[in-house]
Amino acid sequence: MSAQAQEKLYTVDYIEALPEGQRAELIDGVLYDMATPSRTHQRLVHHFDRVIGNYIVEKGGSCEVNPAPFAVYLNRDDYNYFEPDITVICDPSKLDDKGCHGAPDWIIEIVSPSSKYMDYVRKMLKYQAAGVREYWIVDAQKRYIAVYNFESKTMDSYTLSDKIPVGIYNGDLQIDFSALNI
């Protein structure tokens, strides 16, 4: 045995056995506890959920929007489990009562001070490798939104004053933050 302590690897079974209300994510078997979201965070989640959900209903779309807590078994393995703030899935065969099995089409993460490295680096790399089509990182504190379109291999920057076109909908849907006063 090496001088370094072996890090314990957790599985999805551990996450699923957590007490009601306790939330965590797994990345390659490493457990990350999730902080309680702020009021601003929740306002943003509600805004996204409402705007995206209304758009899908108005267009008669087949996609489904799910706010956290919602389970994403990203790699269909026992060592990766995510709860993105907003998840949009357009392939109903990926959905069951437990959550999404495989890559969602669009994920939005709202950054908290403790999750910046996780959202900007770890999750982004995992989402891209798994086949997520579009990934947004919303930083309300900096009033900044990074939009990664993994299909076109682009990254665009916006502010919370902008109308942001959604790539998976070819820009037909635009998210407007100006009414939120954040």
Side-chain angles (χ1 to χ4, degrees):
M1 182 185 251
S2 73
Q4 286 185 325
Q6 293 288 326
E7 189 170 312
K8 180 179 179 179
L9 291 181
Y10 292 87
T11 67
V12 169
D13 290 337
Y14 182 86
I15 294 281
E16 292 174 343
L18 288 174
E20 183 81 24
Q22 185 177 348
R23 295 176 51 214
E25 293 180 307
L26 277 179
I27 300 179
D28 297 326
V30 178
L31 185 71
Y32 297 93
D33 290 318
M34 298 177 76
T36 302
S38 69
R39 181 173 166 262
T40 298
H41 182 280
Q42 291 304 90
R43 286 179 65 209
L44 285 164
V45 168
H46 177 71
H47 181 70
F48 281 118
D49 185 35
R50 183 174 38 81
V51 170
I52 298 165
N54 287 346
Y55 174 82
I56 291 169
V57 169
E58 287 169 13
K59 296 294 183 179
S62 61
C63 299
E64 183 176 303
V65 61
N66 291 280
F70 179 77
V72 174
Y73 302 86
L74 191 64
N75 297 340
R76 298 180 189 226
D77 65 21
D78 288 336
Y79 299 101
N80 288 281
Y81 172 95
F82 297 84
E83 287 188 8
D85 292 309
I86 295 289
T87 308
V88 177
I89 303 105
C90 299
D91 179 354
S93 72
K94 292 181 179 180
L95 297 168
D96 67 15
D97 282 343
K98 290 178 99 176
C100 176
H101 301 270
D105 293 271
W106 179 20
I107 290 177
I108 301 170
E109 293 283 9
I110 299 163
V111 174
S112 65
S114 64
S115 74
K116 286 184 183 201
Y117 181 77
M118 181 75 76
D119 293 330
Y120 280 101
V121 179
R122 283 196 172 114
K123 287 183 180 182
M124 184 186 68
L125 294 172
K126 293 300 279 187
Y127 293 158
Q128 183 178 25
V132 172
R133 296 168 55 198
E134 187 165 352
Y135 176 45
W136 290 21
I137 302 172
V138 180
D139 189 329
Q141 199 172 37
K142 290 184 177 180
R143 303 190 49 76
Y144 171 81
I145 301 165
V147 175
Y148 295 89
N149 186 321
F150 294 135
E151 289 181 315
S152 65
K153 298 179 176 139
T154 61
M155 185 280 208
D156 294 301
S157 300
Y158 298 93
T159 71
L160 286 179
S161 302
D162 294 327
K163 282 187 176 180
I164 303 174
V166 178
I168 69 165
Y169 293 117
N170 298 315
D172 187 43
L173 170 60
Q174 294 191 8
I175 308 291
D176 185 1
F177 292 92
S178 61
L180 283 177
N181 295 319
I182 289 178

